[in-house]
Amino acid sequence: MVERESINQVALLQSLAQGYLGGTIKVKDIRAVGDTGIGTFEGVNGEMIVLDGTVYQALGDGRVVVADDKVVVPYATVTMFDDDVALDLTNVADKTAFENALNKAVKEYGENSFYMVKMHAEFSSILFRSEYGSQQPYPTLLEALKGKQTEFTAKNIKGTLVGLYCPNYMGGLNTPGWHFHFISDDKKQGGHILELSLNKGTVHFDKTDKFTMMLPDDKHFHEFNLAKDMKEEIRSAEQDKQAGMK
Amino acid sequence: MVERESINQVALLQSLAQGYLGGTIKVKDIRAVGDTGIGTFEGVNGEMIVLDGTVYQALGDGRVVVADDKVVVPYATVTMFDDDVALDLTNVADKTAFENALNKAVKEYGENSFYMVKMHAEFSSILFRSEYGSQQPYPTLLEALKGKQTEFTAKNIKGTLVGLYCPNYMGGLNTPGWHFHFISDDKKQGGHILELSLNKGTVHFDKTDKFTMMLPDDKHFHEFNLAKDMKEEIRSAEQDKQAGMK
């Protein structure tokens, strides 16, 4: 039986940041424990969006494909989505305003839990990123993203945002706060959200009181000193923007 | 089906350190996910030793009882024990020498995994601690232990050590390194191990590549700022010694 009430994480965001871009856990293993979530692929070959049980791969060239079950996943967080609570939003000017609204809800429902969120909406404007993959020997995440990122802006586009909230004590295994990915309704565009605006939308929250970390069964994984502070590198990798949207 | 290959943790060592000494998870829930492990009880009312599926409670007055299924557990780590590898030891002078031998094994098997260990032996000498419980409103862990700890030294005693190793990146949710509890063969003595020596013993390791944290479903739990650095308090609470053994 699959544990619906667990956030299931492959490895650590810290191992990805340090350059553990391979692994032993596969798309098939991800699908077994979650129908909704975000992540990346071997070599950081694009952004992962898991929606309704399908694992989508948003590639550096702008295409979106359904990932093969055999593709390796160095980092991801997924869960079986349950619609616990909903939050109606109007006139969201930017990502900061969006996060502020979500933070208010999290404060009410419990800041020390995990939340997966999902919102289907028409975005007035959205800026998202993907990237071309790196080859072995793998560099760090920051190096892997350097010069390999591609950004896409879309106006009045219908699609779904999938996001994860980690509590503030998760700085050693992940990063506290929010992280959002996007996939369009036609499943042709997607990536890591850098900016967004929308007139109307409803965010659905899956409040989750269990966190499971699945470590790769791999000698290479044990060579990393994962206690190293990667906060700045993670912030830079997740939030770096080549161009503003406004 | 119970996941045998997961370390299952109730709440965080950090929430215990900050004074979250109650909870909603019960001994029954612990037994459902682990037959081996360590922890404590509501109000830090003694030390928990889980061995062969039984949850023992070593009380401040020196007695050991089998914990009732309804007793609340604010913090514990347990797993279904599988004997993956064994390490023979001879002439272990103290706890530091014991940990050094175990660390060598962990370096070989993979430092970024979790390990539950079990050793049945005759201890030439062992110093262990337990404590009387605190009442609500609960103080921090350090305050809860102050003046409430009791220490016991035993010579040539047969019993079982149960211990947990957390990887170095676990400083935000637990504490990196080793933590050992003890229970005597007659199940009449036990507690948190402060010192030990033995002539001969075999340590059995359960190497575990999954970590699951079970958060209490409790409003009070969300009031704690769990990102607060509790390293020193945890070190002090776990390693404080009122009297040396040597």
Side-chain angles (χ1 to χ4, degrees), chain A residues 12 110-114 168-170 172-173 207 209-215 221-222 224-227, chain B residues 12 110-114 168-170 172-173 207 209-215 221-222 224-227:
Chain A
L12 293 80
E111 295 189 275
N112 288 330
S113 293
F114 292 77
N168 68 1
Y169 54 79
M170 286 297 290
L173 312 184
K207 183 183 176 189
D209 287 333
K210 228 179 210 183
F211 169 81
T212 300
M213 182 170 56
M214 304 178 287
L215 303 176
F221 176 73
H222 292 291
F224 290 91
N225 170 16
L226 296 176
Chain B
L12 293 79
E111 294 189 274
N112 288 330
S113 293
F114 292 78
N168 68 1
Y169 52 79
M170 285 297 289
L173 313 184
K207 184 183 176 190
D209 286 333
K210 227 178 211 185
F211 169 80
T212 300
M213 181 169 56
M214 304 178 287
L215 303 176
F221 177 72
H222 291 292
F224 290 91
N225 170 15
L226 297 175

Side-chain angles (χ1 to χ4, degrees), chain B residues 35-141:
Chain B
D35 58 18
T36 305
I38 56 181
T40 188
F41 300 90
E42 189 168 10
V44 193
N45 188 21
E47 302 278 336
M48 178 192 288
I49 307 102
V50 186
L51 186 61
D52 302 327
T54 302
V55 177
Y56 296 99
Q57 184 171 8
L59 297 162
D61 63 9
R63 285 180 306 136
V64 171
V65 297
V66 173
D68 190 276
D69 264 354
K70 290 190 287 288
V71 171
V72 166
V73 175
Y75 171 74
T77 38
V78 299
T79 192
M80 293 295 177
F81 196 87
D82 294 304
D83 189 353
D84 293 331
V85 278
L87 174 70
D88 292 327
L89 297 176
T90 47
N91 300 323
V92 178
D94 55 23
K95 186 160 158 274
T96 304
F98 183 66
E99 289 191 6
N100 288 346
L102 267 59
N103 284 338
K104 223 175 121 182
V106 162
K107 248 200 158 75
E108 187 184 338
Y109 307 136
E111 294 189 274
N112 288 330
S113 293
F114 292 78
Y115 296 85
M116 192 68 82
V117 296
K118 218 162 67 167
M119 176 178 67
H120 178 254
E122 178 170 339
F123 294 83
S124 338
S125 184
I126 186 162
L127 172 67
F128 50 91
R129 176 198 85 188
S130 197
E131 56 274 321
Y132 293 93
S134 292
Q135 305 303 317
Q136 279 178 302
Y138 294 131
T140 65
L141 180 61

Side-chain angles (χ1 to χ4, degrees), chain A residues 167-183:
Chain A
N168 68 1
Y169 54 79
M170 286 297 290
L173 312 184
N174 201 309
T175 185
W178 294 101
H179 190 136
F180 308 111
H181 286 191
F182 168 77
I183 185 153

